[in-house]
Amino acid sequence: MSNRSRPDHFTLKARKMGYPARSVFKLEEIQKKWSLIKRGKPVLDVGAAPGSWTLFALRTLGKGACVSAVDLKPLTIKAPPGTILRFRQGDVFTPESADFLAEGGLYGCVLSDVAPSTSGNRLVDARKSWNLVMRVIDLAEEHLTPGGNLVVKIFQGGDENEVKARIKALFREVKTFKPKAVRSESMEIYIIGKGFMGLNQENQL
Ligand SMILES: C[S@@+](CC[C@H](N)C(=O)[O-])C[C@H]1O[C@@H](n2cnc3c(N)ncnc32)[C@H](O)[C@@H]1O
């Protein structure tokens, strides 16, 4: 068994807590530091399968929570009693998904752990990740409520500074963070935007 396929401490702990993936601990750390998910505010989770982040958001928000999630693949989780999980299986950037997103928002927080299928070529993969993240920021601009928060995953090695600059122009605060649960060999980092300034006029409710 390779190091990658052997369940590590985070994987075992995730299973014990009912989460399908170890990635939950990345969001848990981000939430502890920046409280991006706020009670009473709906959440959008982009690239949600198998569903650890979605389940974490539902549990964090508690009774009355509403999380909208989109992924090409199915979720393997069940919403806790008293919470609402809206799920669409498909590409998040299609017009059909746009309708689904609009029906669940405006959102207090947009989470994106979305990742491209990887080729093994770091530059190519970083470029694909950059493209996805820029499109997720477009979605956040359209569907976040003023004051809302954003977290996006990006593969380092491309133009992550450009992503950071764009988030800086839209949010009051920007942070870059590599959670402990990110594997040491991984090129992923998370960029956080706090306090959406609501530049999109339609968002000025
Ligand atoms: C690392 S996984 C997300 C893990 C998830 N946060 C969790 O904790 O269970 C990245 C996901 O992004 C999804 N994805 C990639 N491109 C997408 C797209 N265009 N639309 C929707 N989902 C996409 C993939 O299918 C994959 O499931």
Side-chain angles (χ1 to χ4, degrees):
M1 216 185 234
S2 72
N3 274 348
R4 192 70 200 250
S5 52
R6 187 179 299 134
D8 67 358
H9 156 74
F10 287 116
T11 306
L12 296 172
K13 192 173 164 195
R15 280 185 201 158
K16 215 168 159 183
M17 294 169 73
Y19 290 106
R22 68 195 289 295
S23 51
V24 67
F25 297 111
K26 302 172 193 172
L27 180 60
E28 182 188 58
E29 217 179 320
I30 290 168
Q31 175 67 9
K32 264 191 194 144
K33 264 180 160 334
W34 289 292
S35 303
L36 303 183
I37 301 167
K38 301 271 187 211
R39 273 188 175 269
K41 306 253 170 90
V43 168
L44 171 62
D45 188 4
V46 179
S52 288
W53 279 29
T54 297
L55 182 56
F56 178 83
L58 287 166
R59 286 179 177 173
T60 301
L61 292 167
K63 284 223 183 318
C66 182
V67 176
S68 299
V70 185
D71 202 292
L72 299 166
K73 299 181 205 148
L75 298 185
T76 63
I77 54 156
K78 279 210 168 80
T83 67
I84 298 166
L85 168 57
R86 302 176 67 243
F87 176 61
R88 175 175 156 76
Q89 186 173 351
D91 183 339
V92 72
F93 304 115
T94 60
E96 293 77 16
S97 292
D99 291 343
F100 172 85
L101 298 186
E103 283 156 19
L106 297 172
Y107 301 95
C109 183
V110 173
L111 308 171
S112 172
D113 198 24
V114 77
S117 50
T118 49
S119 66
N121 178 322
R122 286 199 164 219
L123 277 182
V124 170
D125 294 341
R127 190 69 202 171
K128 287 205 253 177
S129 165
W130 182 91
N131 272 317
L132 284 173
V133 169
M134 284 305 221
R135 297 179 77 186
V136 169
I137 298 171
D138 292 341
L139 294 180
E141 265 197 88
E142 197 178 336
H143 297 289
L144 261 184
T145 191
N149 303 318
L150 170 71
V151 55
V152 291
K153 171 165 78 186
I154 185 159
F155 293 172
Q156 283 176 292
D159 292 326
E160 59 270 16
N161 283 338
E162 201 180 322
V163 170
K164 225 176 143 179
R166 194 170 161 208
I167 295 181
K168 203 170 177 178
L170 294 169
F171 292 81
R172 282 197 291 275
E173 258 183 85
V174 185
K175 307 277 176 202
T176 305
F177 185 58
K178 185 153 184 161
K180 291 193 187 74
V182 171
R183 296 180 199 269
S184 54
E185 73 276 15
S186 169
M187 19 177 220
E188 71 190 36
I189 53 162
Y190 290 84
I191 302 178
I192 288 132
K194 271 204 89 171
F196 179 54
M197 291 187 286
L199 300 181
N200 181 342
Q201 296 227 320
E202 284 167 27
N203 277 353
Q204 305 286 343
L205 295 181

